[in-house]
Amino acid sequence: MSAPPLAKGDAGGFDKRTREWRAAWAIGAALALVLPAAGSTYQVSVLTSALITVILGLGLNIIVGLAGLLNLGYAAFYAVGAYAYALLNLHFGVGFWTALPLGGLIAAGCGAALGFPVLRLRGDYLAIVTLGFGEIVRLVLENWSAFSGGPSGIPNIPRASLPGWEPGLRGATLLLYYVSLALAALAALVVARLRDSRIGRAWVALREDELAAEAMGVDRTRVKLAALAAGGFWAGIAGVLFAARTTFVSPASFTFLESAMALAVVVLGGPGSVGGVAVAALVLVLLPEYLRPLAQYRMLVFGAALAAMMILRARRPAGRAAVQPAPAGAVRR
């Protein structure tokens, strides 16, 4: 039996919404490219921090939003990326551009390594184990002074630069902003493509019903390890960007609050949603900053805004957060 045809009005409405979203993203991209040149160095640095949070949220979106693996120790992968750049530069003189992919790959390896002992865990049990993993990484960095510098951290990490050009503070801040913008756009594209791919559908199947997914032939081990490695890779990338932005890393920068922040981004934006997670990350970082003139009322207004966003998100119809089934007759090979 063939699927019922889509009503003409529904198709027109869908096309209209698609055009509106594309126009909104085009305007946002244009503003993102132009505004930093007119802003102060401090404002550009804040925008860079927001973009790093976007990358962090998109990475966790793979693990939590698509694969349904509740990870409360995601800041550990973030720390691995940051310390990878700091230590590689300190001991081997590795520059920013070389450390960027290496930090992501090292964090991805840590994600896969974490996956092996927790393959059979789900729900609360998985959350507790990942929380413990995050704390173990932080405590190792804090107490192994000979390796990581201990609580004092590692200072004097080089900022981003280009071969033959050593920019000043303003130039380095702008360069890192545009690198972060490009990587955030790449992360959004990759996560969107993964969501609609075969592995993405396997993640969603595993999230909805693990036993049913296994019965249908989904390799639970491979799929879970792929989710943890992919999520860890983007956290490692974000960690390298963070180290280049602050030029200093210490264990105090990678506490449970960072994991909670990334999880809040995913929940607020909608698990599985790429655009929603990006917008939520920007709101969570930028809104408190630009509410500073309200002084003691700043966090009150911020909390009210978050509550309003959650209420509005709950009332809107479900979008692309859940992967839709393929049309009748379409076989994905």
Side-chain angles (χ1 to χ4, degrees):
M1 181 181 293
S2 61
L6 189 65
K8 185 175 181 180
D10 293 341
F14 177 78
D15 291 340
K16 182 179 178 181
R17 287 194 300 271
T18 302
R19 288 195 298 269
E20 290 173 350
W21 272 108
R22 287 177 178 174
W25 281 113
I27 294 172
L31 290 174
L33 290 171
V34 173
L35 283 180
S40 66
T41 302
Y42 172 73
Q43 290 172 330
V44 176
S45 181
V46 172
L47 290 173
T48 304
S49 177
L51 290 172
I52 292 172
T53 306
V54 169
I55 298 172
L56 202 61
L58 288 170
L60 186 60
N61 196 27
I62 296 174
I63 299 174
V64 176
L66 294 179
L69 305 174
L70 184 55
N71 190 332
L72 297 182
Y74 194 60
F77 304 136
Y78 190 31
V80 167
Y83 270 89
Y85 178 30
L87 292 171
L88 286 172
N89 178 265
L90 179 65
H91 297 296
F92 304 104
V94 174
F96 170 77
W97 298 105
T98 304
L100 193 59
L102 287 178
L105 291 173
I106 294 171
C110 291
L114 171 66
F116 280 106
V118 301
L119 283 175
R120 295 187 177 275
L121 298 179
R122 288 181 288 178
D124 299 341
Y125 301 100
L126 177 63
I128 294 300
V129 170
T130 55
L131 176 62
F133 172 74
E135 286 302 297
I136 287 172
V137 170
R138 184 184 64 82
L139 290 172
V140 166
L141 294 174
E142 192 168 316
N143 291 283
W144 194 358
S145 299
F147 171 70
S148 63
S152 301
I154 302 175
N156 302 321
I157 302 171
R159 299 180 186 274
S161 62
L162 294 174
W165 179 52
E166 289 296 332
L169 178 60
R170 172 71 177 179
T173 303
L174 280 172
L175 175 61
L176 187 63
Y177 168 81
Y178 285 114
V179 171
S180 301
L181 180 63
L183 287 172
L186 178 62
L189 177 63
V190 169
V191 174
R193 297 297 295 172
L194 284 175
R195 180 188 60 189
D196 297 331
S197 68
R198 186 170 183 174
I199 186 68
R201 293 179 183 276
W203 284 334
V204 173
L206 204 67
R207 179 192 70 192
E208 297 300 328
D209 193 322
E210 190 169 320
L211 294 178
E214 275 196 290
M216 294 300 293
V218 174
D219 187 342
R220 181 179 63 176
T221 300
R222 182 178 64 86
V223 169
K224 283 188 175 181
L225 290 179
L228 289 168
F233 174 82
W234 289 110
I237 293 291
V240 174
L241 295 173
F242 172 82
R245 172 181 171 268
T246 59
T247 70
F248 170 78
V249 293
S250 73
S253 300
F254 308 102
T255 62
F256 170 71
L257 289 179
E258 294 299 321
S259 298
M261 179 72 166
L263 185 60
V265 166
V266 175
V267 172
L268 184 62
S273 170
V274 174
V277 167
V279 172
L282 294 175
V283 169
L284 284 175
V285 175
L286 298 180
L287 193 58
E289 190 65 33
Y290 291 107
L291 288 176
R292 286 189 183 277
L294 298 179
Q296 67 264 32
Y297 301 106
R298 177 170 63 107
M299 297 312 294
L300 179 63
V301 176
F302 177 59
L306 294 186
M309 286 183 63
M310 289 300 295
I311 292 171
L312 291 174
R313 190 176 73 83
R315 289 180 178 176
R316 76 182 181 191
R320 294 296 305 275
V323 175
Q324 301 298 325
V331 178
R332 197 181 189 98
R333 298 187 182 277

